[in-house]
Amino acid sequence: MNLLSFFGFKEKRALGLDITDGSFVYTQLSGKGKNAKLISHGKKNIPEGIVLDGRVQDDGVILSLLREIQKETKQTSVFVSLPDSLGSFFKILIPKVPHADIRDHIEIKLKEMVLFSYDEMILGFKVTKDRDNKLEVEVIVVPEEIGYVYKKLLMQAGFIDIHFRTNAQASAKAVVLDNENPHMVVVLEDNNATVSMVQNGDLKQANKFKYEEHDLYDKVQTHHHSWHDEASKPGSDKEGMKCVTLCGNKADMERLEGLAKKLKTKVNHPDMWNGIFDFSKDIPEISPEESLLYVIALGLAREHLDDGN
């Protein structure tokens, strides 16, 4: 639910902001479905050493960059993705309760599962299914010191309605259509990788890891094989992966070809404009090569549009 809409104010545009150690990448959309338009997009480089392993070393520099983005987009609501290496992603079931009580029930459930400690905070959550007397919820948990700093800086920059998502959630939204075959999405950002498994439009599993050039393909292959092994077990609700998509700021052609050779399957770059734009009416002003940088931000903006309509 969009907080601004709750109070009777509805922004007509959607903003997605992807935060890494080295940059802020954002896209702004308006409209809905294939009538959506790319209003603005951009990248703000973060000086070296200002953010280390996700931790902000200089609030002033980050605040200045965020204010530039807010001024350029004139947006007060935003969907934000932090590096997956900063936190943890869980999918849990909780009792069906009013929206105002969901966060409390998430915290109770995570503590029962020993997945939540005193120095962590629930940065964001998303109800993905409402069935019988249960809610299926995707939850992002980060160290409190990190979550507090980013929320504070975003609010100081002028963003008052802030929704956090993971790279896995955002890339799945940008790359995979609901009716597509089971899909593996690999996001490479700097030296961090996220491997997501999406089935029937549902993010079933997400794994994150750091990589070096010499071990990247082996690590991705391990997750690929693990999923197929589980899918082959009698009674499994998982299906074998039919598609692999590679995206992120390190998703160049050399890595795409190397991953395809390792997995012995076809690996694609995303057709991320599919399902958004009617190309007979509008053509995004981003080249195919440049667009790989914007996958996460676009997925965030797409969800923002869905949330506001």
Side-chain angles (χ1 to χ4, degrees):
M1 179 180 183
N2 188 304
L3 182 62
L4 297 175
S5 298
F6 180 80
F7 288 106
F9 177 77
K10 188 173 180 181
E11 289 191 298
K12 296 181 180 179
R13 297 179 175 185
L15 180 64
L17 175 62
D18 176 24
I19 299 177
T20 73
D21 280 4
S23 66
F24 293 134
V25 177
Y26 63 93
T27 58
Q28 187 178 34
L29 303 177
S30 68
K32 188 178 181 181
K34 285 203 171 185
N35 292 317
K37 286 189 175 183
L38 180 67
I39 302 301
S40 66
H41 67 283
K43 178 183 178 184
K44 304 286 186 183
N45 290 321
I46 300 172
E48 188 174 354
I50 297 299
V51 179
L52 297 175
D53 294 327
R55 288 171 167 78
V56 176
Q57 308 297 310
D58 189 325
D59 287 13
V61 173
I62 297 302
L63 180 57
S64 178
L65 292 172
L66 289 173
R67 281 177 171 161
E68 287 180 17
I69 295 172
Q70 199 281 326
K71 184 178 180 180
E72 290 169 13
T73 61
K74 298 179 175 62
Q75 192 93 19
T76 56
S77 57
V78 62
F79 273 58
V80 183
S81 173
L82 298 178
D84 281 348
S85 59
L86 296 183
S88 302
F89 169 84
F90 303 106
K91 180 172 283 193
I92 61 175
L93 289 175
I94 62 171
K96 190 172 183 178
V97 296
H99 190 273
D101 298 329
I102 290 178
R103 184 177 291 269
D104 289 340
H105 280 266
I106 290 173
E107 186 169 334
I108 291 169
K109 183 68 173 181
L110 291 179
K111 286 180 177 177
E112 286 177 354
M113 300 168 67
V114 199
L115 296 175
F116 192 58
S117 63
Y118 73 93
D119 59 348
E120 292 181 314
M121 67 182 291
I122 298 168
L123 189 62
F125 65 86
K126 173 185 176 183
V127 177
T128 53
K129 290 182 182 176
D130 182 343
R131 55 190 184 193
D132 301 325
N133 295 316
K134 297 285 187 180
L135 296 176
E136 183 181 88
V137 187
E138 294 176 356
V139 186
I140 310 165
V141 174
V142 300
E144 189 170 28
E145 58 175 307
I146 293 175
Y148 172 77
V149 168
Y150 279 106
K151 289 187 75 171
K152 177 191 72 172
L153 292 174
L154 284 161
M155 294 185 74
Q156 288 178 345
F159 298 107
I160 61 175
D161 190 31
I162 305 165
H163 303 256
F164 286 94
R165 296 290 183 262
T166 64
N167 284 352
Q169 291 171 306
S171 60
K173 186 70 177 178
V175 171
V176 187
L177 299 180
D178 289 349
N179 59 353
E180 278 194 290
N181 290 321
H183 210 107
M184 180 181 190
V185 183
V186 182
V187 181
L188 303 181
E189 287 201 331
D190 304 322
N191 287 106
N192 298 306
T194 303
V195 176
S196 310
M197 310 299 186
V198 186
Q199 185 172 303
N200 299 322
D202 183 24
L203 178 60
K204 305 289 286 187
Q205 185 176 311
N207 303 96
K208 61 187 180 182
F209 55 86
K210 286 190 174 295
Y211 71 90
E212 301 293 339
E213 289 301 326
H214 69 275
D215 62 10
L216 171 62
Y217 304 139
D218 287 337
K219 287 185 174 181
V220 174
Q221 184 185 51
T222 296
H223 293 291
H224 191 259
H225 284 175
S226 175
W227 178 272
H228 278 282
D229 288 345
E230 291 182 35
S232 65
K233 294 178 181 177
S236 174
D237 63 347
K238 297 178 179 178
E239 301 175 31
M241 287 291 142
K242 302 290 195 304
C243 311
V244 179
T245 296
L246 180 67
C247 54
N249 62 19
K250 297 296 183 182
D252 57 26
M253 187 58 68
E254 180 181 350
R255 292 183 179 87
L256 185 146
E257 292 173 350
L259 189 58
K261 183 177 180 180
K262 186 69 175 182
L263 298 180
K264 294 182 173 59
T265 190
K266 187 175 181 180
V267 179
N268 299 304
H269 280 144
D271 178 11
M272 61 192 206
W273 308 118
N274 191 13
I276 302 181
F277 297 103
D278 180 348
F279 286 95
S280 66
K281 299 178 181 178
D282 187 56
I283 299 177
E285 295 181 1
I286 302 180
S287 69
E289 295 78 15
E290 186 186 11
S291 69
L292 293 175
L293 300 175
Y294 290 90
V295 172
I296 303 299
L298 180 66
L300 294 164
R302 287 184 70 173
E303 185 175 350
H304 193 173
L305 274 186
D306 292 346
D307 182 69
N309 287 287

